[in-house]
Amino acid sequence: MKHTLPSAILASRSQTPVREGEICAVRVDFAFANDITAPPAIRAFREMGAQGVFDPGRCAILPDHFTPNKDMAAAQQAKEARDFAREQGLRYWEVGRVGVEHAFLPEQGLILPGDVVVGADSHTCTGGALGAFATGLGSTDLAAAWALGETWFLVPPTLRVTVEGRPSPWVGGKDVVLALLERLGVQGARYKALEFSGEAFAHLTLDDRFTVANMAVECGAKAGVFVPDAPILAYAEARKARPFHPIYPDEGASYEAVVEIDAGSLEPLVAAPPSPAAVRPAKTFADVTVDQVFIGSCTNGRLRDLELAAGLLKGRRVADSVRCVVIPASYEVFKEALRRGYIATFVEAGAVVSTPSCGPCLGGHLGILAAGERCLATSNRNFTGRMGHPESEVYLAGPLVAAATALTGRITDPREV
Amino acid sequence: MDQKKLRGRAWVFEDNVDTDLIYHNKYLAETDPKKMPQFAFEYYPGKEKFAKEVKPGDFVVAGRNFGCGSSREHAVYCLKEGGVPVVLAESFARIYYRNAINNGYPVLFVKGLSQGIKDGKIVDGDELEVDLATGTITNLTQKTSFHGDAVADLENEIMTAGGLIPYLKAQVAQ
């Protein structure tokens, strides 16, 4: 039987033949939770009667959401997570050495090509950028994966997404994935997997691919997996925490559909609230003023994102009417941005720079919105109340639109500034 | 009445109800499932009073892609612990679906429900009878009916065991 890439990865981890539409049990290579999803997983783990995780080196907890602890309740959750990590000897990194889970784990070489990765967080699909079948689960599922080292999946049909053409310098991974969302809608890939390939990615950085894979879940997808190529293999080889074996799709595998995107014709895009699929060119939002700009998150808080934003902000000032919050997604990103002078650029431009955290993305802290306020964010969701008050609004875009918007105080196509 | 036949009022929602609308992020530090129902649908336009007015046995009825967004299980607990016996939707986002099954919480996939809601064939307050055994949903108020598919295979085994925890416990015991 010929497999698409997502099916081929599942088949490599299953003891029985894997067929689309059927359920299979698969071994997991890595299983993690964060400070919010770990406490319920720990309780479920105990209730199952489990004593130990299947392999402490393949299990992790990352304190990234409400950290540094934003209040007493968050401190309690973080403590419960930390105590369990110590008890079980699983991988854990303290605030000051960690990062947003989906940015940090690939840097540590813990998500690798050919892996099956499960995380108690919906944006676990980000790991697909490295050719892993990575998917989000709830806490109870994650507890079972910690206990057993395996989980079950309904083998999804695959949509093949090919992105061809050479994108303009003003277009990045966020514009590619917003274009995909515009095409598929928020449930166009529900219960399906995406398989990404195409010439356009040779012109973009690996960070752009993380952005694309990150928002696969916004189309409803179970996973969004890139076909391994030289940049993926070089990144993984340089960082691997264990051996890995890349997996490729079979020639002649059957896809439910092929979605073709011409990156050469894309322009900077924005998704309007309350749907990540309500996508239009940035220039059509020119009359929308904002109170806040957020540059960060597991979607767009990596070095390339900060590089692009700093490039536009250098020597300029954030508009008086705007609070611009910049949050590097990991300490590696933070340190390198510091070394390259991006952090100084942000501070001199009048932006807030914070320690790595999910921050305001999910309405946690470090930039919550009041009623009637509007934010242009590089994160992944703009649902009602996502970043604070239900009468606040979030527009989604890439780092160039975000930096341009911070300069003008209204949603701005970066080609204008 | 047959145990599998349930009766209650409908609370009707649209397509793509996301987890932030079901259970808002500002209550994510709450860890006791029993305290979660008070926050259900707090910011859903027109359903702000859901948590106060929902009665045990009432149904949540929705269109496509119910529960899209985050992986938070709070979005299942806040309905299950609030006495909503089953969620009826045309389709569910996959993590929400898994979370429901893993907590032994029934969901029904109901064909044509999204359009039925748009056409007003089920509106807030309609009295419904839901037969979980056959999947038949009768709208007693409007004299219309829908058909839902219960979950099958492994999901049904997990669900009927009461969720993933009792299911795995039983497996270990064997």
Side-chain angles (χ1 to χ4, degrees):
Chain A
M1 163 151 200
K2 294 183 188 304
H3 290 297
T4 66
L5 177 54
S7 295
I9 296 173
L10 294 179
S12 75
R13 300 296 191 266
S14 170
Q15 292 188 345
T16 54
V18 158
R19 282 186 207 86
E20 257 176 42
E22 292 181 10
I23 285 170
C24 65
V26 298
R27 186 162 56 74
V28 305
D29 294 277
F30 200 72
F32 64 95
N34 58 52
D35 50 311
I36 294 177
T37 57
I42 293 162
R43 276 191 287 281
F45 185 83
R46 305 240 194 257
E47 275 184 58
M48 284 168 194
Q51 300 295 318
V53 299
F54 76 102
D55 179 346
R58 290 176 183 269
C59 299
I61 295 179
L62 297 94
D64 62 353
H65 275 61
F66 290 172
T67 55
N69 301 338
K70 74 182 177 96
D71 54 26
M72 282 189 281
Q76 207 60 41
Q77 282 181 310
K79 183 174 188 303
E80 197 176 337
R82 183 186 304 111
D83 289 349
F84 180 78
R86 285 187 183 146
E87 171 202 305
Q88 293 288 326
L90 46 78
R91 290 182 187 266
Y92 177 85
W93 304 261
E94 201 44 273
V95 168
R97 280 90 79 186
V98 71
V100 180
E101 49 196 340
H102 313 301
F104 181 80
L105 291 172
E107 291 173 356
Q108 301 302 308
L110 290 166
I111 294 176
L112 293 162
D115 278 0
V116 168
V117 175
V118 293
D121 188 283
S122 60
H123 290 105
T124 301
C125 56
T126 315
L130 293 178
F133 185 100
T135 191
L137 301 173
S139 294
T140 305
D141 257 331
L142 197 272
W146 272 347
L148 303 173
E150 65 168 49
T151 190
W152 62 271
F153 289 118
L154 182 65
V155 182
T158 303
L159 299 180
R160 186 165 183 233
V161 182
T162 61
V163 187
E164 304 295 347
R166 178 188 274 273
S168 94
W170 303 102
V171 165
K174 187 60 153 285
D175 306 296
V176 170
V177 75
L178 289 180
L180 179 66
L181 269 155
E182 184 185 14
R183 290 272 285 281
L184 291 179
V186 293
Q187 57 151 355
R190 202 170 42 80
Y191 292 110
K192 298 168 191 174
L194 305 175
E195 181 184 304
F196 292 107
S197 61
E199 183 225 330
F201 294 112
H203 303 294
L204 295 167
T205 64
L206 212 53
D207 284 352
D208 288 286
R209 301 193 202 191
F210 283 114
T211 305
V212 172
N214 175 270
M215 291 186 73
V217 66
E218 265 55 71
C219 319
K222 180 175 271 187
V225 192
F226 277 73
V227 179
D229 62 0
I232 288 176
L233 297 175
Y235 181 95
E237 195 56 51
R239 293 165 180 268
K240 63 181 178 188
R242 51 184 147 78
F244 68 94
H245 305 285
I247 291 172
Y248 300 90
D250 291 331
E251 193 88 28
S254 128
Y255 294 86
E256 187 182 276
V258 178
V259 183
E260 293 170 355
I261 291 176
D262 174 16
S265 67
L266 293 180
E267 58 181 313
L269 298 172
V270 169
S275 169
V279 174
R280 296 202 325 250
K283 64 186 182 215
T284 66
F285 292 98
D287 56 343
V288 179
T289 57
V290 304
D291 306 280
Q292 178 167 297
V293 168
F294 168 46
I295 299 171
S297 83
C298 59
T299 318
N300 282 107
R302 296 184 182 75
L303 196 62
R304 175 64 174 166
D305 305 309
L306 301 193
E307 178 187 8
L308 290 171
L312 271 193
L313 291 172
K314 191 162 179 63
R316 298 180 181 172
R317 294 286 299 170
V318 169
D320 286 344
S321 55
V322 175
R323 314 180 295 265
C324 180
V325 179
V326 181
I327 308 188
S330 74
Y331 269 87
E332 181 178 319
V333 172
F334 199 171
K335 276 188 275 189
E336 186 59 17
L338 201 56
R339 198 183 67 77
R340 294 192 188 185
Y342 304 157
I343 302 296
T345 295
F346 295 134
V347 173
E348 282 159 16
V352 175
V353 181
S354 153
T355 181
S357 172
C358 299
C361 169
L362 76 160
H365 58 157
L366 302 168
I368 304 307
L369 303 174
E373 287 194 325
R374 211 174 278 135
C375 178
L376 184 294
T378 65
S379 47
N380 43 46
R381 292 196 177 129
N382 54 0
F383 299 152
T384 301
R386 174 75 179 173
M387 206 175 277
H389 196 280
E391 284 161 33
S392 62
E393 289 184 327
V394 178
Y395 289 73
L396 304 174
L400 285 170
V401 175
T405 300
L407 291 171
T408 63
R410 56 178 180 78
I411 295 179
T412 301
D413 185 314
R415 292 170 293 188
E416 277 179 40
V417 297
Chain B
M1 191 164 67
D2 187 330
Q3 273 197 323
K4 293 266 178 180
K5 273 192 183 173
L6 307 167
R7 241 189 211 206
R9 296 177 308 165
W11 290 81
V12 181
F13 299 82
E14 297 166 356
D15 290 345
N16 303 317
V17 175
D18 65 72
T19 50
D20 273 294
L21 281 173
I22 301 171
Y23 189 93
H24 193 256
N25 51 55
K26 79 178 181 191
Y27 304 117
L28 284 178
E30 179 56 65
T31 55
D32 180 357
K34 301 239 178 299
K35 290 184 182 157
M36 296 177 187
Q38 62 182 310
F39 307 124
F41 295 115
E42 178 173 326
Y43 295 130
Y44 195 102
K47 298 291 192 295
E48 296 86 348
K49 292 183 179 162
F50 177 89
K52 276 201 180 125
E53 296 181 358
V54 68
K55 291 185 196 149
D58 284 359
F59 302 105
V60 164
V61 179
R64 295 191 176 94
N65 203 25
F66 184 82
C68 62
S70 103
S71 67
R72 63 189 72 155
E73 282 186 46
H74 311 63
V76 170
Y77 299 139
C78 73
L79 302 183
K80 185 185 181 197
E81 299 296 337
V84 177
V86 53
V87 179
L88 316 170
E90 177 136 356
S91 61
F92 296 84
R94 61 165 282 274
I95 302 179
Y96 191 91
Y97 170 67
R98 282 186 82 117
N99 286 343
I101 301 300
N102 286 340
N103 286 286
Y105 187 46
V107 295
L108 274 186
F109 288 76
V110 186
K111 288 182 200 79
L113 195 51
S114 175
Q115 195 58 45
I117 289 167
K118 289 181 184 114
D119 294 343
K121 288 182 183 160
I122 290 192
V123 299
D124 279 340
D126 281 358
E127 191 75 13
L128 308 183
E129 185 180 83
V130 177
D131 186 334
L132 282 181
T134 64
T136 303
I137 296 148
T138 311
N139 185 338
L140 302 170
T141 307
Q142 297 205 38
K143 315 279 182 241
T144 53
S145 68
F146 292 87
H147 185 76
D149 288 321
V151 300
D153 306 327
L154 174 66
E155 295 101 303
N156 189 43
E157 283 177 44
I158 295 173
M159 176 104 87
T160 47
L164 189 60
I165 293 171
Y167 175 79
L168 290 179
K169 269 189 175 167
Q171 288 224 317
V172 170
Q174 277 174 14

